Amino acid sequence: MKARLPEEAPAGEGARRIDELAAAIRRCRICVEHPDKGRALGHEPRPVFQVARTARICIASQAPGIRAHESGIPFSDPSGVRLRQWLDIDERTFYDASRIAILPMGFCFPGFDAHGGDLPPRPECARTWQDSLLAGLPDLRLLLLVGSHAQRWHLRRRQAPGEFWRLGVNETVRRWREIEGSATAPRCIVLPHPSWRNSGWLKRNEWFEEQLLPELRRQVHALL
């Protein structure tokens, strides 16, 4: 199943179609009824995302955690607090879908692995919905690629030289300037996941706060 949305449509029609697409995603049960390799989602789907045709910034994340799954609100957890700090914006701005889209690689909480960590995003979501959603965002100017799954998927399609999508998240974020300056439109800024589990990495890599975050905030504020 591949949803399609015309790349160019009158604003009113485009808004209606992106709303219809969002409604279809909220009804989606593909990971239960037609799962990849027969591995169905182990709980009831609850897609968590936000989108509107007028969004100029898109946060391409990995998948909702358990708290977002329970609340139905993206990044309604400590990771969201840290991400908003990185962006230097408040909750009202962050959850304004008319300005910021939040489109994870997997729309539903994927469940826990044997060690209690989150499983990877469900693969059905991206290949079914992402292209059509991005085609429905004509004003998109900045993609924030949060975590390895989002970076691999988007950088492969942005055709940035150097095959950055093959790198691990640590090396990708270290080379953020090359990626930000080379990927095709919209511009891309790569970020580690804002999980508090990455606090050690952030302490060891002071350049992230000193160099990347000021540029991230400059671009985000300019578009808002």
Side-chain angles (χ1 to χ4, degrees), residues 101-117:
I102 302 176
L103 302 178
M105 290 293 96
F107 292 116
C108 294
F109 170 59
F112 294 115
D113 62 22
H115 304 288

Side-chain angles (χ1 to χ4, degrees), residues 63-136:
I66 186 62
R67 294 192 187 185
H69 171 74
E70 292 172 346
S71 69
I73 301 171
F75 285 103
S76 55
D77 54 23
S79 294
V81 174
R82 172 171 274 171
L83 181 57
R84 289 187 286 275
Q85 290 173 347
W86 286 355
L87 303 177
D88 190 30
I89 59 176
D90 58 21
E91 286 193 26
R92 181 177 180 179
T93 302
F94 186 80
Y95 291 117
D96 182 352
S98 69
R99 295 193 282 179
I100 298 177
I102 302 176
L103 302 178
M105 290 293 96
F107 292 116
C108 294
F109 170 59
F112 294 115
D113 62 22
H115 304 288
D118 290 0
L119 288 166
R122 297 290 306 196
E124 301 92 342
C125 292
R127 64 169 175 256
T128 303
W129 301 112
Q130 287 288 340
D131 287 336
S132 297
L133 283 166
L134 292 172

Side-chain angles (χ1 to χ4, degrees), residues 15-29 47 49 51 129 133:
R16 177 177 61 81
R17 292 187 179 182
I18 198 74
D19 287 345
E20 291 174 352
L21 184 59
I25 294 171
R26 292 189 174 95
R27 296 191 301 268
C28 182
R29 294 179 55 81
F49 65 101
V51 67
W129 301 112
L133 283 166

Side-chain angles (χ1 to χ4, degrees), residues 43-77:
H43 53 268
E44 187 66 16
R46 189 182 192 183
V48 180
F49 65 101
Q50 70 180 39
V51 67
R53 179 179 169 82
T54 55
R56 303 185 74 190
I57 299 169
C58 176
I59 299 171
S61 53
Q62 301 201 143
I66 186 62
R67 294 192 187 185
H69 171 74
E70 292 172 346
S71 69
I73 301 171
F75 285 103
S76 55
D77 54 23

Side-chain angles (χ1 to χ4, degrees), residues 194-214:
S195 167
W196 293 95
R197 295 179 181 179
N198 285 332
S199 295
W201 185 91
L202 295 170
K203 290 180 180 179
R204 294 190 301 271
N205 294 274
E206 295 181 355
W207 57 266
F208 177 80
E209 184 171 353
E210 296 170 353
Q211 301 173 26
L212 194 157
L213 288 189

